[in-house]
Every structure is written in structure tokens, then in C-alpha cells.
Amino acid sequence: MKPKCLTADIINSLPDNIIDTILCLVPIKDAVRTSILSKNWRYNWNKIPKLVFKEKDMFDASTVKDHNKEDEDDKNAEIIELHFEDINGKCKICNVVHQVLIMHDGVISEFTLSMKSPHDKCYDEIDKIITYLSRKNTVKKFTLEMEFDIRGTTDSWYKLPLSVFALHQLTDLYLENCHLNLLSTVNGFACLTSLCLNNVVFSTEMVIHLLSKCPLLKSFSLGMVNCIEIDSFNLAFMCELFGCLPAIAHLDIYNLSYWLHKSKFALPELPTPMVHLKSAHLPASCFIGENGMSFAVNFIRNSPNLEILKLHEVIGKYKNEKSERDYLMLTENSDIRLERLKELEFKVRQWMPELKFVKLILAKSPMLKKVKITFHQRYYKDNVLRVLKAFSETPHASQMIELVDEVVSVDD
């Protein structure tokens, strides 16, 4: 009996912050189940500041079956208040979210909603959830993930309500597979420091307006497959984008096709130096094509404190530029340096159109310590010797470079 009493005393005497930490680390359904531990724990779960609702975890068939069985066995458990079935045509996960929000009696600082292929009937319920959170106005981290087939049309995707812009305390925002509609009167997020837009439908003008209203943004991630007009996403947009990120420290732009190299215009200087930029993950297509080297020079000149640079591969073939033009450009900008760059990563597939830019980086980075090259398995034998030979023959500003090569399958 003594160990049992001691265990009960330990559970009941835990500090509130420890209890909150424990409950935040387990799935919401398990957090609710802790209400049966003791009378003191009966309502601990409805004060936790972090709420995470992931449909694929909450509605596993076996899990729900066991969950309902436990409910029948313990009629006094608080968990019987949560119903994991459709009610009046409402989607399951929205039904659970509504129940939790109604019973929640504390500050909600983090909120995550992850859904698998939601149908139109869910959209009104999601609107209500976001409106409720905006009225509470305590959320600092907000995540909304929708799983759709990206090869299909985006017309049926969920459209975020304007009430999301009433979340004035937001510091972190993650959106995936949805529409982002923004009015010119919207003030954006004054406290936002991290923004991730993964396959979000928007216009380039809209995202520029949004970023211009987020003055404290330090981390920005932008990924897309078919969510914007191809012609509008070019190097001009990239330059304008960089101008909206004066405080950016981490930049990640990915899942782009190869249309960036088609930009044909007089590339301007970047409007604002990105003096806080520490790491950048960019498409290699920025640095090839008619204005690729010009963009590269401007990027290096305006990123003096860059420490990590990763280049996404380019799938496709491009015409080589005239070497005379590149030579003249580099001669005119011989003073450019990446004094703090320590790591460089890039991928090789079929052939290496971005190698010219890689040579520029090697020649301008005296503190470079690690270069990682990833080869696709199918093209490994054809490329590795040629690329490594070119690498060894390229002038290096640093004498401490470690060369690392990696092979991945084509599916990876």
C-alpha cells in the first residue's frame, strides 16, 4: 500500500507547469483521459495552453474502438464528454474541436488543426473555430494543415476567413493546402516572427502586401507546386520579396519548377540588404538563365552574414550563357564576398547547370568549411566524376573545405 500512496501523492503534488508540460506532450484524447487519475486531475486537461488536433492520429479505427470501450467501462470519466462520431452531419474532428473549446477554461497559446481531405461541410465549422480563436485572441502559434491531392484542382480547397487576421498575438503561422485571401485594408501580423506557406493559393501581389505588414518576420518558408500563375513568379518577384524581409534570418523557398530562369528584364539591385540572413534554401533556377549570374551577384552582395546556403536542384536543361558576359560581370564586382559562409549544399541531377554559380561561391567564401553534394542514384555514375573533377579544379578561397557526397534514390 505504501508505494501506491506515495505514487498518488507524487501525481497530486506536481507543480502546475509540470502538469501542463506533460499534458501538452500527449495527444489531446490522452490528455482528456487523465481526468480519471484523481479528483485533482479531473479538470487539469482543460487548462492546457497547447491544443493539437490531428485527424490521422485521433481517428485510427483501432484507437477509437479501444477509446469507446474505455468510456463504457468508466462512466465517471471526463472523457465520456467527447464524442468521436459524426453528429448532425458535422465532420468528426471539428465536432471534437468544438467540444474541447467549449470545455476549455484557460489561455490557448498554441493551436494545431490537421485534416485529411476535408469536404465542403467542414469548411463552415473551421470558420467558426478560427473566429472563436480570434475572439479569444491569445493564440501565438497557429497551424492549419489540409491534405489534398496536389495534382488535382485547387478550386475546392478551403478558403481562410478574414478572421484569421484578427489573431493579433500570432508569432508563428503555418498554412498548408488552402487559399489565402487578403484585402488591401488588412494590417497583417505585427508580432509575427515565423511564417510558412506550403502550397497555399495566393497572388504575388498578395504575399508581398502580407510580408510588408510583418516587420518582425525572421523565418519565412514558401513552397508551391501549382498555386500561383507561373508567369508572375520570376526573379523580379524574388527581388521584391527580399525587399519585404529586412529582419529575415532564415529563408526557405522550395518546390519551384524551372521557370525562374526565363526572367528577361534588367535585374535591379536588391532594395534592402538582408544583413540578418543566416541560412537560405533557394531554388538553383534563381542563379541560371539570362539574369541568373546578375541575381547571384546581387544576392551575395546583400547577404553579408550568410552562414548556410542550400540549393534546390533544377529538373530540365538550359542553354549555357556566354562566358564573356559572366566574366565581365564578375570583374566589375570583384569585391563581393561571403565572409561568414560555412556550409554549402546542392543537388545534382542529369547535369549541372548551376555549377557556374557554385564556382562563384567557392571563390568568394574564405570561411567555407563544408560542401555537400547530393547525387540522384540513377545519374550518380555519369555525374560524380565529372562534378568532383570540376570541383577540384575550381579555385577555393578557403583551405579548410570538407567535401561530402551523398546518393539518394530518384523517389527521394
Side-chain angles (χ1 to χ4, degrees):
M1 293 296 294
K2 186 175 181 181
K4 291 184 178 180
C5 294
L6 182 61
T7 303
D9 290 339
I10 292 176
I11 291 177
N12 290 325
S13 62
L14 287 174
D16 291 342
N17 62 324
I18 299 298
I19 294 175
D20 287 345
T21 300
I22 293 173
L23 295 177
C24 287
L25 291 175
V26 300
I28 186 67
K29 58 185 178 183
D30 293 331
V32 176
R33 288 176 181 175
T34 61
S35 60
I36 66 175
L37 291 177
S38 69
K39 290 182 178 180
N40 292 339
W41 276 69
R42 187 168 178 81
Y43 297 108
N44 279 333
W45 71 268
N46 66 0
K47 294 182 176 64
I48 57 176
K50 181 179 178 180
L51 298 179
V52 178
F53 302 91
K54 293 189 176 182
E55 188 170 9
K56 63 181 180 180
D57 296 333
M58 295 175 64
F59 297 101
D60 177 74
S62 60
T63 303
V64 174
K65 183 178 180 181
D66 294 340
H67 168 77
N68 291 334
K69 183 178 180 181
E70 289 184 17
D71 293 348
E72 295 174 359
D73 293 341
D74 192 341
K75 296 181 179 180
N76 296 320
E78 186 71 22
I79 196 171
I80 64 174
E81 299 296 333
L82 293 183
H83 302 281
F84 284 77
E85 67 271 5
D86 288 318
I87 296 181
N88 297 327
K90 294 181 180 179
C91 63
K92 294 180 181 180
I93 189 169
C94 290
N95 176 41
V96 174
V97 173
H98 282 301
Q99 293 176 72
V100 171
L101 291 180
I102 289 173
M103 291 184 282
H104 197 274
D105 190 32
V107 173
I108 302 174
S109 59
E110 296 185 38
F111 184 88
T112 297
L113 178 58
S114 178
M115 306 181 69
K116 298 189 298 183
S117 301
H119 49 77
D120 295 346
K121 294 180 180 179
C122 297
Y123 293 169
D124 289 340
E125 300 302 320
I126 301 173
D127 286 350
K128 293 177 182 178
I129 292 170
I130 295 177
T131 299
Y132 174 85
L133 294 174
S134 65
R135 290 174 179 172
K136 201 173 183 68
N137 199 23
T138 60
V139 178
K140 293 185 177 181
K141 296 182 179 181
F142 181 78
T143 298
L144 181 63
E145 299 174 316
M146 306 283 186
E147 292 186 16
F148 291 102
D149 186 351
I150 60 176
R151 295 170 296 182
T153 177
T154 63
D155 296 339
S156 61
W157 287 11
Y158 174 67
K159 296 177 175 59
L160 278 167
L162 289 178
S163 57
V164 73
F165 295 100
L167 298 170
H168 299 301
Q169 304 300 319
L170 274 188
T171 60
D172 298 77
L173 177 60
Y174 180 95
L175 301 175
E176 181 174 352
N177 294 337
C178 59
H179 285 259
L180 177 61
N181 298 315
L182 179 64
L183 299 178
S184 58
T185 55
V186 172
N187 293 325
F189 304 101
C191 301
L192 199 67
T193 58
S194 177
L195 174 62
C196 179
L197 303 177
N198 184 20
N199 219 38
V200 174
V201 181
F202 60 85
S203 67
T204 53
E205 294 80 6
M206 185 186 301
V207 75
I208 291 296
H209 176 70
L210 175 61
L211 293 178
S212 66
K213 301 296 182 179
C214 303
L216 301 181
L217 199 62
K218 295 182 179 179
S219 177
F220 178 54
S221 181
L222 177 63
M224 68 206 73
V225 177
N226 58 351
C227 291
I228 59 173
E229 295 181 3
I230 291 179
D231 293 337
S232 64
F233 198 92
N234 50 35
L235 290 181
F237 167 71
M238 292 288 285
C239 288
E240 193 174 2
L241 180 71
F242 291 161
C244 298
L245 304 171
I248 198 70
H250 306 283
L251 180 63
D252 189 359
I253 299 179
Y254 57 97
N255 280 358
L256 295 179
S257 188
Y258 54 85
W259 59 77
L260 282 175
H261 79 287
K262 297 180 180 179
S263 299
K264 296 181 179 180
F265 63 95
L267 192 70
E269 293 285 337
L270 298 187
T272 306
M274 296 180 290
V275 295
H276 302 286
L277 187 62
K278 299 292 185 181
S279 66
H281 201 170
L282 300 174
S285 51
C286 289
F287 308 110
I288 61 177
E290 186 169 339
N291 288 286
M293 192 57 70
S294 175
F295 181 89
V297 169
N298 285 337
F299 178 77
I300 292 176
R301 184 179 296 280
N302 287 274
S303 308
N305 297 309
L306 188 66
E307 296 180 1
I308 300 174
L309 177 61
K310 299 180 181 180
L311 301 180
H312 294 284
E313 67 178 336
V314 178
I315 302 175
K317 296 185 178 181
Y318 310 94
K319 295 180 180 179
N320 291 325
E321 295 298 306
K322 295 181 179 179
S323 59
E324 295 82 359
R325 179 184 176 185
D326 293 336
Y327 177 78
L328 179 61
M329 182 178 299
L330 294 179
T331 300
E332 294 174 349
N333 297 278
S334 59
D335 60 320
I336 61 173
R337 302 278 281 182
L338 283 170
E339 297 287 353
R340 299 180 183 272
L341 188 68
K342 298 178 181 179
E343 295 184 24
L344 172 65
E345 294 186 17
F346 58 92
K347 297 181 180 180
V348 178
R349 181 180 233 187
Q350 294 185 8
W351 74 306
M352 193 58 194
E354 65 269 31
L355 188 58
K356 188 184 300 182
F357 173 65
V358 172
K359 291 180 178 180
L360 173 64
I361 296 295
L362 294 176
K364 300 295 182 179
S365 307
M367 299 301 295
L368 191 62
K369 294 182 179 180
K370 180 180 178 181
V371 176
K372 182 178 179 180
I373 309 175
T374 301
F375 298 92
H376 278 272
Q377 189 175 32
R378 180 183 300 176
Y379 309 104
Y380 177 72
K381 293 181 180 179
D382 297 333
N383 282 280
V384 62
L385 294 179
R386 180 169 56 86
V387 171
L388 295 181
K389 182 175 182 294
F391 178 87
S392 63
E393 295 175 351
T394 299
H396 299 53
S398 172
Q399 303 300 320
M400 304 178 292
I401 298 179
E402 175 191 4
L403 179 62
V404 178
D405 64 284
E406 178 184 56
V407 182
V408 297
S409 68
V410 175
D411 292 337
D412 293 337

